[in-house]
Amino acid sequence: MWLLALFVGGCSGAPKSGESEAESAASEDPESEAGTETEAETETEAESSEESGPAPECDDGIDELGEYCFVEIASLPVAVPPTTVRLADLDADDALDLIALGLTADGAYWYRGAGDGSFADAVALSLGPGLRDLRAADVDADGDLDLGVASIVLGGVAVAHADPVGVYPPPGWVPGGSGPRSLSFGDLDGDGDLDLVSAVENDDVIRVYEYEAGGLTETAQLPTGADPYQVALADLDEDGRLDLVSIDRESGELGSRLGLGGGDFDLRASLLVGAGPRAFALGDLDGDGFLDAVTTNFDEDVVTSSRGRGDGAFESPAAFPTGISPYDVDLADFDGDGALDAAVVLHGPSQLMVLRGGGDGGFLDFELYDLPAQPISVRAGDLDGDGRPEIAVASNLGGRITVWARRP
């Protein structure tokens, strides 16, 4: 059972601990999407306790149960309202960089990381207009990171190759349908090169592309539920073959297909997770060796946790209440206790919510941190070289990328 613990006081400074209801705020979707009412078979299991002993103190150098003590260590302006933030070491200097995307931009903005939590001024990458997603991976196994990009303006997807390291000439585009918005790389056919899948929200399909001879060739279109918003490749059944997972905004479904090898996939299994899910993250939340899924349900103000069964499907979700309009989520062990935690951005009240994982598939408590207006994207990674994950957030209306580090 999940426990929602209320902390009185909390860490000094920004965090607001254990508040289950955020202040009333406008929760307009920055992409002007109409929310839909979807009846979901979820279990809401949240309990609250009055107090949990003395409030932990930040800045005392002591890691204590019940404290995250995140502080903002960087605030980076973006030339256009950012919709996406990604982390990758593009210049191969062993320090993660930040990449910001904006729908009104002609390309992307690259902030070189120094490895200590600081970043250089943005450098524009001319990758194409209206980029909705970017993924960094060594697609052709040459040792350099390539960039997969999806453009809703061009209706296409592309791979930009580093030439040399950290320099990305404009890519060649292939058709991507109406509204390609999410990408994932993986070797689907066992040839050593990374293939690509793309969620196409207006066509209700996942497009599959084989990478060969330096380019992409479409090999399949796989039906989804209504309005697929995100896609990921991962091995759900531990058979060594990549499987496909997607989230569908309008129909409120988490869908999965087992990989059959050779770039083929089995029939789709689906699970209702809630109203208006925008994003999901995969990770082993309960330590059973199988990947579980955490989703953000924008239209009903909850995140859900669905345990992986190890056969490609997921158990019925349990719901955990958040503030208004949770949009994106990433998973990492923020407090070093061996259990995955969740970083969630709340679009309505413009807050970062950090949920402490209990190691059993659920969450124990949370802390809230104020953000620039309308956060929409979040990623976790070690940005300051201390061995612990930091959190990067893109705030659309606020026009900034902020970086948060734990300082117990």
Side-chain angles (χ1 to χ4, degrees):
M1 178 169 292
W2 291 3
L3 176 63
L4 177 60
L6 299 185
F7 287 99
V8 177
C11 300
S12 61
K16 303 175 182 178
S17 302
E19 301 172 3
S20 61
E21 295 184 3
E23 295 85 349
S24 177
S27 59
E28 296 179 1
D29 194 316
E31 298 177 65
S32 300
E33 297 148 344
T36 58
E37 293 295 327
T38 304
E39 184 176 346
E41 300 172 354
T42 62
E43 305 169 4
T44 302
E45 301 181 6
E47 299 178 358
S48 62
S49 60
E50 292 297 326
E51 296 188 14
S52 185
E57 296 183 2
C58 297
D59 296 322
D60 59 6
I62 302 174
D63 285 345
E64 297 181 75
L65 181 63
E67 69 173 6
Y68 278 120
C69 299
F70 278 96
V71 298
E72 182 185 292
I73 62 171
S75 181
L76 308 172
V78 186
V80 298
T83 56
T84 305
V85 63
R86 296 288 181 255
L87 313 181
D89 182 10
L90 297 188
D91 51 4
D93 65 351
D94 296 323
L96 284 176
D97 310 316
L98 297 175
I99 305 98
L101 306 180
L103 295 181
T104 60
D106 187 10
Y109 298 93
W110 173 22
Y111 301 81
R112 285 182 170 90
D116 59 1
S118 64
F119 299 86
D121 292 340
V123 173
L125 299 176
S126 297
L127 300 174
L131 300 184
R132 194 59 191 86
D133 199 7
L134 177 149
R135 301 287 170 165
D138 185 4
V139 176
D140 51 6
D142 66 352
D144 300 330
L145 282 182
D146 309 302
L147 300 179
V149 287
S151 169
I152 62 173
V153 172
L154 299 177
V157 299
V159 174
H161 295 282
D163 184 26
V165 174
V167 177
Y168 294 93
W173 294 85
V174 298
S178 177
R181 64 167 297 124
S182 175
L183 303 174
S184 185
F185 279 118
D187 185 2
L188 299 177
D189 52 11
D191 65 355
D193 294 330
L194 299 184
D195 308 303
L196 183 70
V197 294
S198 171
V200 189
E201 63 175 309
N202 297 328
D203 295 340
D204 297 342
V205 298
I206 303 297
R207 290 192 177 215
V208 182
Y209 300 87
E210 180 183 4
Y211 181 85
E212 60 178 354
L216 296 172
T217 301
E218 184 178 322
T219 59
Q221 293 188 21
L222 306 175
T224 65
D227 207 351
Y229 241 54
Q230 185 183 339
V231 65
L233 293 170
D235 188 358
L236 299 179
D237 57 356
E238 297 292 322
D239 67 350
R241 295 190 291 254
L242 289 175
D243 310 307
L244 189 149
V245 185
S246 61
I247 198 79
D248 306 319
R249 181 189 69 89
E250 187 173 341
S251 56
E253 297 172 86
L254 180 69
S256 58
R257 291 177 181 267
L258 288 176
L260 302 176
D264 296 325
F265 292 91
D266 205 345
L267 297 177
R268 181 175 184 265
S270 64
L271 175 71
L272 288 175
V273 292
R278 294 301 196 269
F280 69 91
L282 299 174
D284 186 2
L285 297 176
D286 54 8
D288 65 354
F290 302 124
L291 292 175
D292 312 305
V294 176
T295 72
T296 55
N297 294 359
F298 184 90
D299 294 343
E300 60 182 357
D301 305 335
V302 301
V303 297
T304 69
S305 173
S306 302
R307 296 184 184 184
R309 300 193 321 202
D311 60 0
F314 295 91
E315 300 284 355
S316 295
F320 190 90
T322 65
I324 300 170
S325 307
Y327 205 102
D328 197 15
V329 59
D330 204 6
L331 301 177
D333 181 7
F334 294 115
D335 55 3
D337 66 353
L340 286 177
D341 313 304
V344 178
V345 288
L346 306 179
H347 184 258
S350 297
Q351 290 178 317
L352 168 65
M353 185 180 207
V354 185
L355 295 152
R356 187 185 311 279
D360 58 357
F363 299 101
L364 299 176
D365 49 57
F366 64 86
E367 289 183 354
L368 294 171
Y369 303 85
D370 292 331
L371 294 168
Q374 293 188 353
I376 188 174
S377 181
V378 62
R379 282 297 178 270
D382 185 5
L383 296 170
D384 63 2
D386 66 354
R388 298 186 294 201
E390 282 69 54
I391 301 173
V393 178
S395 291
N396 183 260
L397 187 61
R400 306 189 80 80
I401 304 293
T402 53
V403 179
W404 297 76
R406 187 168 175 253
R407 295 290 186 261

